[in-house]
Amino acid sequence: AAVEIVLDLEHDRGPIDGRLFGSFVEHMGRCVYTGIYEPGHPTADHEGFRGDVAELIDELGITVIRYPGGNFVSGYRWEDGIGPRDLRPHRLDPAWRSIETNQVGTDEFLRWAARRRVEPMLAVNLGTRGIQAAADLVEYCNVPGGTRWSDLRRSNGSADPYGVKLWCLGNEMDGPWQIGHKTAAEYGALAAQAGQAMKLVDPGIELVACGSSHHRMPTFGYWESASLEIAWDVVDYVSMHAYYEELDGDRRSFLASGFEMSEFIDDVAATIDAVAARKHSRTRPRISFDEWNVWYQARFPGTENLEIDTSGPRIEDVYGTLDAVVVGDLLITLLNHADRVAVACLAQLVNVIAPIMTEPNGNAWRQAIFAPFAAVAGSARGVGLVARIRTPEIETNQYGDVPAVAAAATYDAPGRTSSIFVTNRAERPVDAVISMRGEITWTTIQSTSVIIADDKGPLDAAAARHVRQRLPGTRLEGSTITLTLPAESWSAVIVSAA
Ligand code: AHR
């Protein structure tokens, strides 16, 4: 029997937050240096940022960029990265065993983000530093003038305050690998104090507290509830991070990564609700899923084995169609949790586990995972619809039985369009029927596309450009769409009304 997907225009999850289509730029490997920034590159702008990379970022549809780390931020002194470039120190970055030249810092990044029209999201160092350095950075960025730090920003070339709204209170502070790693109680106390001071400097900012670094952390759940208990009054978002990879050839479990991400979000939301209930609080911090992607961690050496270098490559995964299908499926999960997840960042943006790659002094190119991200960021508008699905299940080693088909849809009332995204995790093709309920007569299939996990392995620039094809045989009759989902595939269908 065909899989049935029922969408009802009257049954939505509320508006899709545009910030779901964010990304992440860390001072790591070649993400900044020879990634977004390469003075001397033929396309470089007046501040040394690559124009070819900027064009691809626009095409990808990125809305928010988190910066400057990641593990890097837990040893970072932000003052090193401001002022005349020739006076900036070269520092050892112990997190990635690199020499940080500080040629890009807060001003360069924020001015570049403004030129790209993306919202910046800055992380403060709660590893080796604390309350004062965090509050000073907010002052530097957001106070108009007349104070030590704001006047320094003005003299460094930015007369107007940047108005950075989103701030991360450290990074992965639950992780034993993190510089300045803390217990939940220690972190909760520091986050509460730093957050209070930062909000006293600028009451308009929003703060993201570190959640667990991944679902399998031994302190998962406890970390969130214990730290939130203490920092509740200053926290607007709780962060989540998750990376997925195919382990030991277990392709089925890898294809079910979107299912795992869904369970993870439900668990974090339940933990937030439990703390809210205990506190008799009507507010609920939302979720900032500020690092997610496919990352083949098993392929790369441990950091401790790396030679210290300057902008040497770090974790430059090259992706294939299977990875693109999984990334598409993870996006479906994010859309289906848009009522709880406000911000999400594909990690990272350029060269480091990234949708965009560059050759130094050469071309920039799109990886296979670029395609599903651009498709969703470019068309998911309006409200998220609740997709009710009748689907068989497939058995996986890691997660037990999971739905063979996953789907998410959005409805844009002013544009009279609906975008529907569907993953078939099964090893054979599946016929699907999508029933659209509501007071609209759909007239046109605007576009269809499909990515099929065809086992070609990592794709180069030329092959990665063509991972999205048209999905033939999709029909719209009345309010019903019929289509055949190829085995292990991710599809997008956009319909419109006259
Ligand atoms: O994105 C790479 C690294 O993954 C980040 O620095 C860290 O936050 C996470 O563990």
Side-chain angles (χ1 to χ4, degrees), residues 293-313:
N293 202 351
V294 171
W295 173 7
Y296 289 89
Q297 305 201 36
R299 284 184 195 161
F300 297 99
T303 317
E304 64 282 2
N305 297 323
L306 293 171
E307 292 295 324
I308 292 173
D309 59 13
T310 304
S311 333

Side-chain angles (χ1 to χ4, degrees), residues 406-418:
T410 59
Y411 170 54
D412 177 31
R416 293 170 73 79
T417 56
S418 177

Side-chain angles (χ1 to χ4, degrees), residues 5-10 385 409-411 417-420 433-442 476-481 493-496:
I5 302 170
V6 178
L7 302 171
D8 185 341
L9 300 189
E10 300 297 318
L385 298 178
T410 59
Y411 170 54
T417 56
S418 177
S419 303
I420 305 156
V433 178
I434 305 172
S435 306
M436 314 275 292
R437 302 201 177 144
E439 297 290 302
I440 270 212
T441 311
W442 298 101
L476 170 69
E477 277 163 283
S479 54
T480 303
I481 303 166
V493 178
I494 302 179
V495 291
S496 59

